[in-house]
Amino acid sequence: MMGERTVSQESLFYSFNLERHVPADHLLRSIDRFVDLSDLREQLRPFYSETGRPSIDPELMLRMLIIGYCMGIRSERRLCEEVHVNLAYRWFCRLGLEGDVPNHSTFSKNRHGRFRDSDLLRRLFETTVARCIAEKLVGGEGFAVDASLIRADASRQHVVDHAGQLPPASASHAVREYLAVLDDAAFGGATPVPPKQLAVADPAARWTAASRDRAFFAYSTNYLIDLDHAVIVDVEATTAIRQAEVTAQRRMIERAHTRFGLWPERLAADTGYGDARNLSWLVEERGIEPHIPVFDKSARRDGSFERADFVFDHDDDSYVCPAGKRLRQRRKHYREALPFVDAEGMTRYRASKLDCDACALKPRCCPNAPARKILRSIHEGARDMARDIATTDAYVASRRQRKKVEMLFAHLKRILNLRRLRLRGPNGAKDEFLLAATAQNLRKLAKLIPMPAMAGAR
């Protein structure tokens, strides 16, 4: 006999326990253990008025943002719709069945005001780092650093050639933020070379062709991670050029030490961080072993002698060429003393023209010059140390472990769906990168630390 659903009048009372309808192995249930917002209201209290209508609960908005970034929901409008219908999302947000979901415009108003003024998202991220440290997931001995390009919310077609054609600062938040960071070493002040073109919608975004795709406007997200469990120790938003990424690396190392007392013994990175100044900063100022390939352009392809073929004599402060002759910094006496070091931090060692003219190796040494000249950086000691480290087994292990940061970037773009920014301006990029790094650390905690019931079952 075929059954038929009976249509009855709605009950006046329901007995519904939301806790029972969230699966025990749901990701948000595991993440909820590590979300501590107990002091949130005290942090934001100075930014709210004592009178007037009660605002939307800031904890509710933060929990919704955590859901959005953990689950790869990029649109805040869609996030509000998902929280409205999803029981697990309602449970995580402490809404119950009848709680009202705020309007999506509320996020924008708080983001441009209270959240940024109080630096709330930075504090939220650092809370997850502190929890990772408390759970013994951060060793603190080896760090890795890298950067990845994230497309900006800017069109290739709407560009101007120089800042004089930008709309007035009152036109948008992005233009005001661009003008505010012109001297910042992580954005406008990263290089004295002005950009060839600016995006009207987001002038702080940098036009870049660093990837295999067509050139596009982008920001860089910079990660400093611990090599033990790939926990993100710090994150920084910069313009998409190498000089800014080196600046971000220094800021993150110093901030990790100030906030958490972390001071790594070694730092793994790619060649972009291997310039002489940065290696000197790591070795001489911070005492960190650079497990970094040295950025060196002294190699030659014409078969002539390279700089590596010349031996440096530290005691005599000179180079010895393959023929046994010495190259010194200065062979003449001038009325006015000339500086030994140029603006780029390089010193020049020159051979005697008489020695080179009589040398049988001159065709292989300096065929197109009267005498051989060698450039040496004032930071060459740090470069030599990096070269020596590159021959060790520890360096090989660090190079292998450094791939963890690249895996985090792949997770960021493919799983969390952060291939393109929704927010504009440097502050918008900071907000998105902080929330994404927070979500990745929370997911890491949920993965590595099992639920108490699951731990007991094992």
Side-chain angles (χ1 to χ4, degrees):
M1 179 178 177
M2 182 179 296
E4 183 178 355
R5 180 176 60 89
T6 58
V7 180
S8 60
Q9 186 179 1
E10 292 186 359
S11 302
L12 295 178
F13 301 98
Y14 289 93
S15 177
F16 187 88
N17 188 348
L18 188 58
E19 179 78 22
R20 291 169 48 196
H21 288 76
V22 179
D25 59 347
H26 196 282
L27 177 62
L28 289 180
R29 185 179 285 277
S30 184
I31 286 177
D32 185 64
R33 299 172 293 157
F34 309 108
V35 178
D36 182 11
L37 303 177
S38 56
D39 59 344
L40 171 65
R41 290 177 179 80
E42 288 301 321
Q43 296 177 16
L44 293 177
R45 193 176 299 279
F47 301 93
Y48 282 90
S49 174
E50 296 294 335
T51 60
R53 187 177 60 181
S55 68
I56 301 296
D57 186 359
E59 180 177 348
L60 169 60
M61 287 187 287
L62 271 187
R63 286 184 173 273
M64 290 180 63
L65 287 174
I66 290 173
I67 290 174
Y69 280 83
C70 284
M71 300 301 181
I73 304 175
R74 303 288 299 125
S75 167
E76 288 168 358
R77 187 187 297 269
R78 180 177 163 234
L79 174 62
C80 293
E81 296 173 355
E82 292 290 334
V83 172
H84 181 70
V85 301
N86 192 301
L87 293 180
Y89 295 175
R90 281 185 167 272
W91 172 85
F92 184 80
C93 293
R94 311 294 193 263
L95 275 176
L97 284 179
E98 298 182 354
D100 293 330
V101 178
N103 188 274
H104 64 88
S105 62
T106 307
F107 292 95
S108 178
K109 294 178 181 179
N110 283 273
R111 182 187 304 114
H112 292 296
R114 302 181 184 97
F115 287 2
R116 287 180 184 169
D117 294 341
S118 63
D119 205 15
L120 182 63
L121 300 182
R122 165 63 63 178
R123 296 185 183 184
L124 177 64
F125 166 73
E126 291 179 353
T127 300
T128 65
V129 179
R131 185 59 184 270
C132 290
I133 295 174
E135 297 290 348
K136 309 299 184 183
L137 299 183
V138 176
E141 297 180 356
F143 283 1
V145 65
D146 204 354
S148 183
L149 296 176
I150 305 294
R151 291 177 180 269
D153 185 21
S155 172
R156 296 164 49 93
Q157 281 71 38
H158 296 83
V159 298
V160 293
D161 293 333
H162 52 82
Q165 297 181 1
L166 286 175
S170 59
S172 68
H173 290 282
V175 175
R176 289 197 296 272
E177 292 174 11
Y178 165 71
L179 298 175
V181 298
L182 284 178
D183 296 329
D184 191 340
F187 290 97
T191 172
V193 180
K196 294 182 179 180
Q197 48 192 357
L198 301 175
V200 176
D202 191 353
R206 177 70 62 158
W207 179 258
T208 177
S211 67
R212 297 180 180 179
D213 300 331
R214 296 175 60 191
F216 55 91
F217 289 103
Y219 286 94
S220 283
T221 177
N222 299 263
Y223 278 4
L224 180 69
I225 72 165
D226 184 81
L227 290 176
D228 280 3
H229 293 94
V231 172
I232 304 172
V233 177
D234 207 344
V235 57
E236 183 84 0
T238 64
T239 188
I241 59 175
R242 183 176 62 85
Q243 295 91 324
E245 295 169 4
V246 174
T247 299
Q249 166 231 281
R250 298 185 183 185
R251 288 182 179 179
M252 292 188 293
I253 290 176
E254 292 175 345
R255 191 160 49 210
H257 178 66
T258 302
R259 297 286 207 277
F260 309 109
L262 298 175
W263 203 259
E265 297 178 359
R266 62 188 186 276
L267 179 71
D270 58 26
T271 313
Y273 300 85
D275 64 279
R277 294 179 186 271
N278 189 50
L279 293 175
S280 174
W281 183 86
L282 290 170
V283 173
E284 299 172 4
E285 298 187 30
R286 294 297 181 266
I288 301 174
E289 292 184 1
H291 289 221
I292 305 172
V294 177
F295 186 77
D296 192 354
K297 291 186 176 181
S298 63
R300 295 191 173 188
R301 300 180 179 179
D302 57 359
S304 59
F305 292 132
E306 301 177 355
R307 186 174 61 185
D309 297 320
F310 293 73
V311 180
F312 184 71
D313 186 346
H314 289 272
D315 296 332
D316 190 57
D317 189 22
S318 62
Y319 275 97
V320 180
C321 73
K325 304 297 182 180
R326 292 191 177 269
L327 288 75
R328 303 185 184 276
Q329 290 195 51
R330 188 162 294 172
R331 293 182 176 275
K332 295 181 179 180
H333 296 282
Y334 299 90
R335 293 181 180 178
E336 296 182 3
L338 299 178
F340 283 90
V341 183
D342 62 14
E344 301 297 327
M346 304 297 291
T347 57
R348 288 167 172 78
Y349 292 78
R350 296 177 175 88
S352 169
K353 184 177 182 300
L354 296 177
D355 291 339
C356 290
D357 288 341
C359 182
L361 299 177
K362 188 176 187 302
R364 291 190 58 195
C365 186
C366 51
N368 301 320
R372 182 61 187 262
K373 178 177 65 177
I374 297 292
L375 295 178
R376 180 180 176 85
S377 171
I378 58 175
H379 308 298
E380 198 66 29
R383 286 158 57 91
D384 290 340
M385 179 178 178
R387 293 188 184 100
D388 293 339
I389 292 174
T391 62
T392 64
D393 294 336
Y395 176 84
V396 176
S398 295
R399 297 298 295 170
R400 183 171 61 253
Q401 290 178 316
R402 193 188 68 82
K403 296 179 181 179
K404 293 180 180 180
V405 68
E406 298 176 357
M407 294 172 63
L408 282 172
F409 289 139
H411 180 270
L412 177 71
K413 296 178 181 180
R414 296 187 180 184
I415 306 302
L416 302 190
N417 202 24
L418 188 60
R419 297 182 181 90
R420 182 186 180 99
L421 295 174
R422 290 188 304 103
L423 308 181
R424 292 173 177 171
N427 286 331
K430 292 176 184 177
D431 291 348
E432 292 223 55
F433 295 158
L434 281 169
L435 282 168
T438 300
Q440 288 183 293
N441 277 351
L442 287 174
R443 291 175 66 111
K444 180 75 66 177
L445 284 164
K447 176 183 178 181
L448 296 180
I449 303 177
M451 297 284 287
M454 296 181 181
R458 291 181 181 179

